[in-house]
Amino acid sequence: MSVPRLQAGDRVRLLSPASTPDEDLVARGVALLRQWGLQVEIGQHAFDRAGYLAGNDPDRLADLNDALRDPNIRAIFATRGGKGAYRIAAKLDFEAARRDPKPLVGFSDITYLHLALHCAGAPVGFHGPAASWSDDYYDTECAEALHRALTVDEPIVVRSNPTDYTATLTAGNPATGVLVGGNLDSLAHSVGWALPDLNGAILLIEGNSGTGLGQVDRCLAQLTNSGQLDNIAGVAVGTFGEFETATAGGQTLAGVLADWFAKLAVPVLGGLPIGHGRNPVTVPLGTTTTIDPRSATMTVTPGVH
């Protein structure tokens, strides 16, 4: 199955399946998408608020399912992550998503939706920036990378940043598999209900700067001890935000990750500019992907596995 591509004139919809976005930042995102010639709509409940959620579960779910069912909507953009996508991920209209695949763009808590859709045989998730467009995190190159990923049918090559603190994890020979993953905390909490089969997969992990080393450790323990990582082909490590690289005891994020990766004995490519960092690259999930630790590159092919 090929990844659906956007073109000028297509209608797209911005939704808030998790937490409530900043309206001014969403307006910036709308302006950007309109510059690309897209017709932009905003979901009915996108700015609702119920504590840390963008409104109640039925309304957030209805917004998302309406977009999945509407044949005129050609892509869905999450306004932000936060919390709450896990509350509705199991109730998506998976039949509609399989019948009319369309890109769902987002990351962080949106990982739950990507995973659930992949499990249901509708893996057209794009791990990329939220539609709340902030100049503090996203620049013109980031915008262009998002645009290319959504509109151009060609491989995406992501180069490791050698100065990133996880680049030191890079080791092993090239490995190829289906790209699955996203936010590490979301992955761990999806075990048993939303985590796809990872046999032969390239596992993508990333996190945010609010995640402590102990939480990273617990997440990897959950994934490893569940047996889900027994037969993965390799690991692609994205950014973990402005993570402090050491604790008072001298432990580092790279050290915690390396300890668990050693148990897996698979190729690892670290330092990838994907996830909770400035100017993240957009990559389509569910696609055949090769990590090459020798050249420090990850190549994502257009077709969905």
Side-chain angles (χ1 to χ4, degrees):
M1 180 174 69
S2 62
V3 176
R5 300 294 168 178
L6 289 179
Q7 54 188 338
D10 280 347
R11 285 174 55 196
V12 301
R13 191 170 294 169
L14 275 57
L15 307 175
S16 303
S19 296
T20 309
D22 180 291
E23 294 193 34
D24 290 338
L25 296 181
V26 170
R28 293 290 307 280
V30 169
L32 175 67
L33 297 177
R34 286 178 174 161
Q35 286 176 16
W36 298 346
L38 299 172
Q39 300 182 57
V40 185
E41 303 174 2
I42 298 178
Q44 180 180 355
H45 301 285
F47 299 115
D48 287 3
R49 187 180 298 276
Y52 49 78
L53 303 173
N56 62 50
D57 292 350
D59 287 342
R60 298 196 326 282
L61 179 62
D63 272 4
L64 187 47
N65 279 338
D66 284 348
L68 289 172
R69 294 165 182 157
D70 189 337
N72 295 313
I73 296 300
R74 302 319 310 147
I76 302 167
F77 292 81
T79 62
R80 63 164 294 185
K83 297 178 176 64
Y86 49 82
R87 296 174 63 96
I88 62 173
K91 299 177 181 179
L92 301 182
D93 188 337
F94 297 114
E95 182 179 350
R98 288 189 295 267
R99 182 175 61 249
D100 181 23
K102 60 193 70 174
L104 167 64
V105 184
F107 77 114
S108 195
D109 196 66
I110 306 304
T111 294
Y112 288 102
L113 304 181
H114 291 322
L115 295 174
L117 287 165
H118 191 127
C119 280
V124 192
F126 280 71
H127 194 286
S132 298
W133 202 261
S134 168
D135 290 336
D136 291 336
Y137 286 92
Y138 308 145
D139 64 9
T140 54
E141 288 188 11
C142 177
E144 180 56 29
L146 173 61
H147 185 244
R148 284 197 309 270
L150 289 167
T151 60
V152 180
D153 190 24
E154 63 183 27
I156 296 171
V157 178
V158 185
R159 300 188 181 281
S160 171
N161 178 2
T163 66
D164 189 275
Y165 42 84
T166 67
T168 58
L169 299 167
T170 300
N173 295 316
T176 299
V178 176
L179 187 64
V180 182
N183 181 257
L184 177 60
D185 188 73
S186 301
L187 284 163
H189 285 91
S190 295
V191 170
W193 70 282
L195 192 64
D197 182 356
L198 297 178
N199 286 344
I202 298 297
L203 179 68
L204 171 65
I205 65 170
E206 61 85 31
N208 58 39
S209 54
T211 303
L213 290 177
Q215 186 173 344
V216 171
D217 195 40
R218 288 193 298 273
C219 288
L220 289 167
Q222 172 73 13
L223 289 166
T224 302
N225 294 332
S226 70
Q228 296 285 342
L229 306 187
D230 286 352
N231 297 301
I232 62 172
V235 181
V237 186
T239 57
F240 279 72
E242 297 168 357
F243 206 105
E244 287 195 67
T245 58
T247 67
Q251 182 61 283
T252 65
L253 172 65
V256 172
L257 294 173
D259 180 54
W260 287 103
F261 295 163
K263 298 176 175 65
L264 300 176
V266 297
V268 177
L269 178 58
L272 295 170
I274 299 172
H276 282 81
R278 284 174 166 76
N279 307 314
V281 174
T282 301
V283 292
L285 300 166
T287 51
T288 300
T289 297
T290 298
I291 57 170
D292 188 347
R294 299 173 306 185
S295 63
T297 59
M298 179 173 80
T299 302
V300 185
T301 59
V304 173
H305 178 75

